[in-house]
Amino acid sequence: LKEESVSEDGTRKYLFDVEGGGAVECVYIPEPKRATLCISSQVGCLVNCRFCFTAKQGFQRNLSRAEIIGQVWSVVHRRLPKEAVPISNIVFMGMGEPLMKYEAVRSATWILLDDKAYGYSKRRVTLSTSGVVPILNQWMEECDAALAISLHATDNSLRDHLVPINRKYPLAQLLASCRYYNRKYKRAVVIEYVMLDGVNDSVEQARALVSL
């Protein structure tokens, strides 16, 4: 552990050194009756979303399965005080695009879900992706964890700018995958939408989001 900071509401941010000289963040977010651990899958990120600070750091490398699970192990077994709310949810929403390192993330997810390992419910482990559609489609066939989409725009023109991977996998393809997930698992897809003043926060865009 390189650094740990604690906010007034009990949120804990951990900065872990990793081999090769990089570092990744992991965040414990408590609520009255549950707590979420946000974990990373890459040192930096390749997707380069315009509003994301991780993108400004560039990309160094993918994390291994051991380094992904190591974040969970370190917080659960060594870093949380005894009086802290136990971790009930794990989210791949830290540094990196999880589907860019598919094999390690898939394997780590299986460990988190396995009753002989961490035993989390498939509804309580969430993968967040900006929309690497072919790998997302493969993931849906092999893993039934929860899904979140980092959307942030309601049309291709704006999303091309904010989330550049949209140029390769535009909204129609991404939403088709979301609908397939919904049909396959009878489960909602979480939509993530960062509000950017004067960029994607108009009433018209809100209505377009509802339509999508």
Side-chain angles (χ1 to χ4, degrees):
L1 180 67
K2 182 176 183 179
E3 183 179 323
E4 177 179 352
S5 58
V6 185
S7 70
E8 293 181 358
D9 66 356
T11 297
R12 294 173 175 267
K13 181 182 288 187
Y14 305 94
L15 187 66
F16 292 107
D17 280 323
V18 294
E19 187 176 356
V24 295
E25 285 188 338
C26 176
V27 183
Y28 167 83
I29 308 165
E31 297 179 60
K33 294 184 179 181
R34 70 175 196 171
T36 299
L37 187 67
C38 177
I39 61 177
S40 296
S41 57
Q42 294 180 316
V43 186
C45 188
L46 285 166
V47 177
N48 198 30
C49 295
R50 296 292 181 254
F51 51 83
C52 180
F53 185 73
T54 301
K56 292 177 171 55
Q57 301 175 51
F59 173 76
Q60 293 186 39
R61 67 176 179 88
N62 297 306
L63 295 181
S64 68
R65 172 183 61 184
E67 289 171 323
I68 294 170
I69 292 296
Q71 297 169 68
V72 181
W73 186 91
S74 182
V75 174
V76 169
H77 296 291
R78 299 186 63 184
R79 304 300 171 191
L80 277 186
K82 292 182 179 179
E83 67 275 11
V85 179
I87 295 168
S88 57
N89 297 69
I90 304 286
V91 294
F92 285 89
M93 297 182 185
M95 295 171 65
E97 163 55 60
L99 294 182
M100 291 289 192
K101 182 57 176 173
Y102 175 68
E103 292 80 7
V105 169
R106 176 187 58 188
S107 182
T109 301
W110 285 343
I111 292 171
L112 293 170
L113 298 177
D114 196 314
D115 288 339
K116 294 181 180 179
Y118 285 89
Y120 285 105
S121 162
K122 59 190 176 184
R123 296 177 182 272
R124 295 188 177 276
V125 177
T126 302
L127 180 139
S128 172
T129 178
S130 58
V132 190
V133 170
I135 307 175
L136 172 59
N137 293 340
Q138 182 180 352
W139 178 83
M140 287 190 291
E141 298 300 332
E142 299 178 348
C143 188
D144 61 350
L147 175 64
I149 298 297
S150 189
L151 192 68
H152 313 303
T154 58
D155 63 83
N156 283 316
S157 177
L158 180 57
R159 195 166 191 266
D160 284 351
H161 173 69
L162 295 178
V163 188
I165 201 169
N166 191 75
R167 298 168 189 165
K168 191 169 185 179
Y169 308 115
L171 280 169
Q173 293 183 31
L174 178 57
L175 293 174
S177 294
C178 291
R179 293 186 182 101
Y180 176 77
Y181 175 91
N182 180 252
R183 292 194 304 271
K184 182 176 178 65
Y185 294 117
K186 303 297 188 291
R187 198 183 307 156
V189 176
V190 175
I191 299 297
E192 300 163 315
Y193 194 98
V194 173
M195 300 287 283
L196 302 170
D197 187 22
V199 177
N200 66 352
D201 63 342
S202 70
V203 173
E204 292 76 14
Q205 287 164 321
R207 288 173 176 153
L209 181 61
V210 172
S211 296
L212 286 182

